[in-house]
Amino acid sequence: MKIGEIPANATIQIRVMKGDMKFECLAIVVATRDDGLYLTPVKYKGQIIDFSSPKIQILVFYVNSDRQAFGWSGCRIRKDIYQGKMCHLLTTKRDSVRVNRRGEPRIRTEMHAIMRTVMDDKEREIVVRNYSENGIGFVCSDSIPESDWRPVTIIYEDRLQQLRVVMRANILRSMELPSGLFKYGAHILQPDDEWIRYVQNKLENIRERNQAEEALGLQS
């Protein structure tokens, strides 16, 4: 898939990396051309982001209507004008690759949380089954209309770690389970630093535990 085949009004995810730093954001496609996309201006704290640094890497992800995920590397973004309005122009000469958005390490859990949708702001109790820096999987007793999937608000609390995080997420997929519960997978929008540290600490604890168990296995 060429990047210019992404339709207008679609939402894309942009991942910017520089050394150990990583930033993610969403943008709306205004119009397309063969090698790129005109986007609504990407802002941070009200300011239009400058992507001109030569040392950054930019990846772009798009999930189509069939829930297939595609990714592009070698991207460049610059400010431009489209139909008299300021925008960002994203270009790449590379074709897409199919992406496994669940490829990043996930932490298994059974943690209760609260979810709200934009349409009714009703609080629904959910059980988080797994999570990563950028994704979260959970089950709910309600079937959530697809029109309410983007975005939802999830309030996640780990009292042992004194953590309470309010995150916005886009639900990407759902499945009805034989138990009557509904299983959902969601992408976290712009995860904050506290959440990222929490996930990284959990992953580090898991790695240390696995290494200890391997060491004990070698000694026995």
Side-chain angles (χ1 to χ4, degrees), residues 119-138:
M119 294 301 293
D120 58 16
D121 202 34
K122 173 184 175 183
E123 288 194 354
R124 294 175 170 88
E125 184 173 317
I126 64 174
V127 178
V128 177
R129 292 281 178 83
N130 60 76
Y131 58 84
S132 65
E133 287 186 16
N134 300 290
I136 190 165
F138 61 91

Side-chain angles (χ1 to χ4, degrees), residues 9-183:
N9 298 317
T11 300
I12 63 169
Q13 178 192 356
I14 300 170
R15 180 180 296 175
V16 181
M17 296 175 290
K18 183 176 182 180
D20 295 331
M21 303 293 292
K22 181 171 70 174
F23 172 77
E24 295 194 353
C25 58
L26 298 180
I28 306 297
V29 178
V30 176
T32 65
R33 68 185 209 184
D34 288 344
D35 65 340
L37 307 169
Y38 292 99
L39 308 173
T40 53
V42 184
K43 298 181 179 180
Y44 180 71
K45 294 184 177 180
Q47 300 296 316
I48 297 178
I49 298 175
D50 182 2
F51 294 96
S52 62
S53 172
K55 296 182 179 180
I56 63 174
Q57 292 180 292
I58 300 176
L59 305 177
V60 171
F61 301 97
Y62 166 65
V63 180
N64 66 13
S65 58
D66 295 324
R67 306 301 174 198
Q68 297 173 319
F70 299 87
W72 288 263
S73 60
C75 299
R76 293 290 179 265
I77 301 177
R78 61 179 173 83
K79 296 177 184 177
D80 207 322
I81 301 293
Y82 179 77
Q83 293 186 342
K85 294 182 179 180
M86 176 65 70
C87 68
H88 271 122
L89 174 61
L90 184 153
T91 57
T92 182
K93 297 180 180 179
R94 301 181 184 180
D95 289 343
S96 68
V97 295
R98 286 291 299 274
V99 177
N100 176 12
R101 298 293 285 142
R102 293 180 58 84
E104 59 185 347
R106 288 199 168 232
I107 299 162
R108 306 296 172 183
T109 187
E110 287 286 329
M111 189 76 75
H112 288 263
I114 298 296
M115 183 189 66
R116 299 192 187 105
T117 64
V118 171
M119 294 301 293
D120 58 16
D121 202 34
K122 173 184 175 183
E123 288 194 354
R124 294 175 170 88
E125 184 173 317
I126 64 174
V127 178
V128 177
R129 292 281 178 83
N130 60 76
Y131 58 84
S132 65
E133 287 186 16
N134 300 290
I136 190 165
F138 61 91
V139 295
C140 179
S141 60
D142 290 352
S143 174
I144 304 168
E146 191 168 345
S147 58
D148 296 349
W149 283 11
R150 301 189 177 196
V152 299
T153 298
I154 297 174
I155 304 170
Y156 180 93
E157 189 170 6
D158 185 337
R159 294 181 180 178
L160 291 176
Q161 299 294 325
Q162 298 182 334
L163 174 84
R164 186 179 187 273
V165 173
V166 179
M167 62 183 79
R168 295 173 69 250
N170 283 341
I171 296 176
L172 302 179
R173 56 189 173 272
S174 70
M175 176 189 301
E176 185 173 2
L177 302 176
S179 62
L181 295 174
F182 293 86
K183 180 181 178 181

Side-chain angles (χ1 to χ4, degrees), residues 191-198:
D192 62 26
D193 292 341
E194 187 178 15
W195 172 256
I196 291 174
R197 285 194 299 269
Y198 174 77

